[in-house]
Amino acid sequence: METAAMVNTVIKHYDHPMRSATSRPLTKFDSTTTIQVVRKFIENEDDFPSSFYYSVEIYNRDHKHYFKLDDRYIQLYKPFNCVDIMINGQSTLPKPKLIKIRVTWIETNNNDEGGVIRENTGQEALDEQSNFDKHNDGQSKIDEEPLNIDSSIGWFKLPEDSETDSIPSSPGLLDDVSKCRPTSAERAVPDDNEMTSTSIRCGLKNMGNTCYMNVILQMLANITVLKDWISRNDHRTTCQQSEICALCWIEETLKGMHQKCKNELKPGLVPVYEPKSFYEKLEVLSSQFKKGTQQDCMELLLSLFNHTKESSILFDIFKFQSQRVTQCEKCKTSEPGPIENNTIMQCSIPQPIVCSLEDCLDSYCEKELLTGDNAYQCDTCNSKQDAETKIEICSTPQVLLIALKRFQANNQGKLHSAVTYEEVLHLDNWLSKYCSAKITKNHKIYHLSAVIIHRGNGMESGHYICYVKNEITNEWYEANDDSFKKAEFVFDMKKEVCLLCYVRSDLSKSIVADNNTQATGISDMKTMFVL
């Protein structure tokens, strides 16, 4: 005899003003559960904060990833379906099925409707449709210790050594970056930092022209893949060169920022962290980073990469490969050059008054003619020939950094050309044919995660500001030294953008809704930013 079973569900809260992240309300849901039922349970709790709204996510064990919980997800994955076959009155279920739900709380500001819970309407990139079909029969059972269920009250208690004490809190990396993914044993270890489960909403003190440093730290603090690795690894304790290792400095600073938020984040009050230790080490990178001097944030970022081993997580996250390919005009033979490893795509800005990011990428990969004294030595023709050469991108990084070259050489000033760009970036046009053929669609699409702007007329003057996007709520925040506040979705700073940070769509939870692309689970709707 088959019966519909109730599914044990643990709900864990993050950024709740009156609870710690270890607070775990426990309940049961059945196959008739909708998102409204889940929200009603959350909102009926005694300590519901009226000045906050929240997002609800569910952990998918098959994908090792949290996804937004809505009725579409429930329909596709049927997480609360559990059929028990009774034999002679005895259940055949080997152990209770456990569902994990994460609730993240966000404080409203004056522009919000006070106390109103915002309903998420955007479609979540659950995965490509082929994976939908594969898992539609429900989630795999979670390997947990049997739960101590108190049937008299319909709630249950977790054993003290339950794996649930450490709920995975960020997207696991996919197979091509599996070395960054925590093992089952690592997931079972309680995570004291819980850094990837919360956004780091923290200002940074300006210690004297350090805005160029602060914006880079804010951008790094918003990269979930990096926070995930830092929270699950203690690199500093094993590194033999911590005094000169930039990864050690970044780890220390991001953990410090997170701890500051955890201890001091209160309604209406933004904590401010002083990255003093990081600042004290800057001259180790280069003598150009003298205290009290204004610097180029991109130069700082490049110096950080130069002081990190190529085998480190920083290179795993930001590295992409490029190759110069030259084609002889006479015999049409193409000759690929050596593969080069890069961490930042440094693009020149075309001179028109207004150009697009695509124009800048075209400039990065622009074709050049080799003629006259600069003619190409063709091995096939065994002679000098006119030729065409261009750069092709041979791999797609987890996080793509695009720097726009606004500062001209020899202190010749700053280019103020306007650059427009979109929230979703498709890299297809700049990939090599081999790369484009071997990777999936969601490895070619990127979602905007952070924007850095520079106000002023030159590198030695002016001010940097960073804008970061909360992947859970899709809201933008302005990080301006010790200020950290909500920002408008569209900015009017088209002449000031200098660094863009995009996260690959298979790793990003940031979704732009588009009903026309539900088949792939990835949105192609383009929201224009003019910076």
Side-chain angles (χ1 to χ4, degrees):
M1 176 180 177
E2 293 186 359
T3 61
M6 300 284 284
V7 181
N8 298 325
T9 305
V10 57
I11 302 177
K12 194 167 182 180
H13 293 261
Y14 295 92
D15 288 348
H16 194 290
M18 291 172 279
R19 294 186 182 187
S20 68
T22 58
S23 179
R24 296 189 297 269
L26 310 175
T27 188
K28 288 174 175 288
F29 294 116
D30 60 23
S31 59
T32 64
T33 298
T34 64
I35 184 60
Q36 291 300 330
V37 172
V38 176
R39 287 187 176 276
K40 185 175 180 180
F41 174 83
I42 295 170
E43 293 165 26
N44 282 342
E45 296 186 57
D46 293 337
D47 56 356
F48 180 81
S50 60
S51 62
F52 282 66
Y53 58 95
Y54 61 88
S55 65
V56 184
E57 297 170 292
I58 188 168
Y59 186 70
N60 185 306
R61 179 69 86 168
D62 293 334
H63 293 283
K64 297 182 175 63
H65 192 119
Y66 271 101
F67 295 100
K68 187 185 72 179
L69 180 62
D70 56 17
D71 286 332
R72 179 171 178 262
Y73 182 97
I74 293 172
Q75 180 182 11
L76 287 171
Y77 280 85
K78 300 177 175 60
F80 303 112
N81 285 21
C82 186
V83 176
D84 192 0
I85 300 176
M86 307 295 290
I87 300 178
N88 297 326
Q90 299 295 318
S91 170
T92 60
L93 287 177
K95 59 182 69 175
K97 180 178 179 180
L98 179 65
I99 299 298
K100 301 178 181 181
I101 290 178
R102 176 172 73 181
V103 179
T104 303
W105 295 85
I106 304 96
E107 184 183 5
T108 60
N109 65 9
N110 294 332
N111 296 325
D112 296 325
E113 298 178 12
V116 176
I117 302 303
R118 293 185 178 178
E119 193 70 45
N120 291 323
T121 58
Q123 298 296 333
E124 186 68 60
L126 301 179
D127 215 313
E128 294 191 23
Q129 188 65 36
S130 59
N131 286 333
F132 289 168
D133 299 334
K134 179 180 179 182
H135 299 291
N136 268 351
D137 291 334
Q139 292 173 281
S140 60
K141 293 180 182 177
I142 300 174
D143 295 329
E144 303 276 354
E145 290 299 318
L147 300 172
N148 179 15
I149 301 178
D150 186 344
S151 58
S152 65
I153 61 175
W155 289 53
F156 66 96
K157 300 177 181 179
L158 291 173
E160 291 182 1
D161 59 348
S162 169
E163 179 187 341
T164 309
D165 285 341
S166 178
I167 297 176
S169 55
S170 69
L173 306 183
L174 301 185
D175 293 338
D176 59 338
V177 289
S178 58
K179 64 181 177 180
C180 300
R181 182 192 295 154
T183 63
S184 297
E186 289 171 328
R187 288 197 301 270
V189 177
D191 182 2
D192 293 332
N193 288 317
E194 294 165 342
M195 185 168 12
T196 60
S197 304
T198 59
S199 59
I200 299 180
R201 291 177 288 166
C202 176
L204 292 175
K205 183 178 180 179
N206 190 316
M207 292 173 284
N209 290 325
T210 57
C211 59
Y212 73 95
M213 176 188 77
N214 289 346
V215 292
I216 295 300
L217 293 175
Q218 290 286 11
M219 181 190 73
L220 294 175
N222 195 58
I223 297 175
T224 301
V225 181
L226 177 60
K227 292 190 296 181
D228 179 59
W229 187 89
I230 288 177
S231 67
R232 301 188 184 281
N233 296 272
D234 198 356
H235 170 73
R236 284 192 300 155
T237 61
T238 58
C239 181
Q240 302 298 315
Q241 298 178 310
S242 59
E243 289 303 311
I244 61 172
C245 174
L247 181 56
C248 289
W249 312 345
I250 293 170
E251 176 185 331
E252 178 185 12
T253 304
L254 266 56
K255 285 184 175 179
M257 293 170 66
H258 172 260
Q259 194 62 39
K260 191 76 171 179
C261 289
K262 186 176 180 181
N263 294 341
E264 299 184 14
L265 184 60
K266 298 177 182 178
L269 179 65
V270 176
V272 178
Y273 179 74
E274 183 177 2
K276 185 176 180 180
S277 178
F278 189 93
Y279 181 49
E280 294 291 337
K281 295 181 174 70
L282 287 187
E283 289 192 54
V284 174
L285 298 177
S286 171
S287 58
Q288 78 180 75
F289 298 113
K290 293 180 180 179
K291 291 182 180 179
T293 61
Q294 177 66 286
Q295 300 293 335
D296 185 346
C297 70
M298 187 189 71
E299 290 295 332
L300 173 60
L301 198 53
L302 287 171
S303 295
L304 290 174
F305 287 127
N306 291 337
H307 278 74
T308 308
K309 292 182 179 179
E310 288 199 19
S311 59
S312 76
I313 185 64
L314 284 184
F315 280 87
D316 286 339
I317 291 174
F318 297 105
K319 184 180 72 174
F320 69 94
Q321 295 180 321
S322 64
Q323 185 178 45
R324 181 169 291 279
V325 178
T326 304
Q327 184 180 56
C328 176
E329 289 290 292
K330 181 178 180 181
C331 67
K332 302 301 180 183
T333 301
S334 293
E335 180 68 27
I339 296 289
E340 295 183 2
N341 293 326
N342 312 270
T343 51
I344 304 177
M345 193 175 293
Q346 302 181 53
C347 299
S348 299
I349 300 176
Q351 290 304 307
I353 298 176
V354 177
C355 64
S356 68
L357 181 61
E358 286 76 9
D359 294 328
C360 297
L361 293 173
D362 285 341
S363 176
Y364 182 82
C365 298
E366 185 177 13
K367 294 179 180 180
E368 299 178 28
L369 294 178
L370 303 178
T371 60
D373 295 337
N374 198 32
Y376 169 64
Q377 178 63 42
C378 178
D379 292 338
T380 302
C381 299
N382 197 26
S383 61
K384 291 272 189 178
Q385 298 291 339
D386 291 346
E388 190 176 77
T389 183
K390 66 174 182 177
I391 291 177
E392 294 180 346
I393 299 173
C394 304
S395 67
T396 57
Q398 297 173 53
V399 179
L400 175 63
L401 297 176
I402 302 177
L404 303 180
K405 296 181 180 179
R406 289 203 176 273
F407 300 123
Q408 301 183 78
N410 301 319
N411 295 324
Q412 293 299 309
K414 175 183 171 183
L415 295 176
H416 292 277
S417 299
V419 177
T420 62
Y421 63 93
E422 297 169 349
E423 187 178 8
V424 178
L425 174 65
H426 296 251
L427 278 186
D428 305 67
N429 292 342
W430 303 280
L431 299 177
S432 68
K433 290 182 179 179
Y434 175 76
C435 175
S436 185
K438 75 174 183 178
I439 63 176
T440 59
K441 180 179 179 180
N442 59 358
H443 278 221
K444 304 174 186 177
I445 301 174
Y446 285 78
H447 291 265
L448 189 62
S449 172
V451 178
I452 293 177
I453 70 166
H454 179 269
R455 289 176 175 167
N457 294 319
M459 185 176 65
E460 295 182 350
S461 63
H463 183 63
Y464 284 102
I465 301 174
C466 183
Y467 293 88
V468 295
K469 187 177 184 180
N470 186 313
E471 286 188 311
I472 298 173
T473 66
N474 279 355
E475 293 177 313
W476 283 89
Y477 288 83
E478 179 189 85
N480 184 1
D481 287 337
D482 58 1
S483 172
F484 194 97
K485 62 184 180 181
K486 243 181 228 184
E488 294 297 325
F489 191 71
V490 178
F491 309 107
D492 186 20
M493 293 168 279
K494 57 187 178 181
K495 298 181 180 181
E496 298 169 335
V497 58
C498 59
L499 187 63
L500 300 163
C501 177
Y502 283 93
V503 177
R504 205 170 62 197
S505 63
D506 60 306
L507 301 173
S508 173
K509 293 188 293 181
S510 178
I511 301 301
V512 183
D514 182 5
N515 293 332
N516 295 327
T517 56
Q518 290 182 8
T520 62
I522 297 172
S523 170
D524 287 324
M525 189 184 91
K526 299 178 179 179
T527 303
M528 178 65 72
F529 285 80
V530 183
L531 294 192

